[in-house]
Amino acid sequence: MIPRRTALLALLSTSVLLACGAKTPPAAAVPAGASVLALGDSLTAGVGARPGEDWPSLLAEHTGWEVTNAGVSGDTSAQGLARLPALLQEHAPRLVIVGLGGNDFLRRAAPGTTREALEQIVRSIQAANAQAVLVAIPQPSLMAAAGATPSDHPLYQELAQELKVPLIANLWGPILGDASLRADQVHANAQGYAAFAQALEQALRRQGLLAH
């Protein structure tokens, strides 16, 4: 029998690969030691796990990148956008991994407002001569509340195709849909963040952002 963790990682890997199948401009590999920014909310900050168990810390260990965890618990996409200029100036990142929108959905913000903020985030990153990667966030639903695997909000797919940036999709849903990988209904635990970091690393390699 395939171990549960191995099977889950195989599922996550396949899901991310399919999600990243849209044509995007060739990515430039980000070398070890380069500045990488993780812009997000509590899922980026690592709520539900101990310090050092958040996925940006784990990604830094696996890649040799200097990953700055710019996750702020409770942040909406608009608040992330407001913080971004100072972060870009301070860290001059080669790559920014954007994982925002979950708090917008929980607060029932208009999808158009979230989409506009995320679009401005990506365009600001590109204007700073950095590469952007979007991480899709699941949307709340009655089925997810009943225990089904939550599905990504469709605005991420639409925005990634429009802006021609890599999309990491169908990743948080399986993790947050698995009680053994979450600390509560909306946050991962240490095992969940480790699974995310491993699958994200594999996806970034396939995109050409991380040298093999």
Side-chain angles (χ1 to χ4, degrees):
M1 179 179 293
I2 300 175
R4 179 181 179 83
R5 179 177 173 80
T6 302
L8 175 65
L9 289 174
L11 172 62
L12 294 177
S13 177
T14 302
S15 298
V16 173
L17 176 61
L18 293 173
C20 293
K23 292 183 179 179
T24 58
V30 179
S35 174
V36 172
L37 184 67
L39 180 68
D41 49 31
S42 55
L43 285 176
T44 300
V47 171
R50 294 177 298 183
E53 295 177 337
D54 56 280
W55 68 259
S57 294
L58 298 174
L59 185 65
E61 292 177 7
H62 298 165
T63 61
W65 290 341
E66 295 292 332
V67 182
T68 298
N69 188 333
V72 173
S73 184
D75 252 17
T76 62
S77 55
Q79 289 171 318
L81 173 62
R83 291 192 291 117
L84 181 59
L87 290 167
L88 292 174
Q89 183 175 8
E90 178 181 358
H91 300 287
R94 297 279 293 273
L95 172 68
V96 182
I97 303 171
V98 182
L100 285 162
N103 290 306
D104 300 58
F105 306 147
L106 290 173
R107 299 172 192 178
R108 299 184 180 181
T113 301
T114 303
R115 192 182 191 283
E116 181 178 355
L118 290 172
E119 179 178 351
Q120 291 184 47
I121 286 172
V122 171
R123 294 195 185 281
S124 296
I125 292 167
Q126 294 171 332
N129 296 316
Q131 299 183 88
V133 170
L134 274 177
V135 176
I137 307 297
Q139 56 185 336
S141 69
L142 292 176
M143 292 183 65
T149 299
S151 300
D152 294 340
H153 198 292
L155 70 84
Y156 295 96
Q157 184 76 38
E158 297 167 1
L159 191 58
Q161 290 178 346
E162 176 183 327
L163 299 178
K164 295 181 172 57
V165 295
L167 174 67
I168 307 299
N170 304 323
L171 185 47
W172 278 126
I175 291 173
L176 297 178
D178 187 333
S180 70
L181 296 177
R182 65 174 189 256
D184 55 41
Q185 291 300 315
V186 295
H187 298 109
N189 58 22
Q191 292 73 30
Y193 290 122
F196 180 90
Q198 185 172 343
L200 176 61
E201 179 189 352
Q202 293 170 357
L204 294 172
R205 289 188 188 280
R206 287 194 293 271
Q207 285 292 319
L209 287 162
L210 185 59
H212 290 274

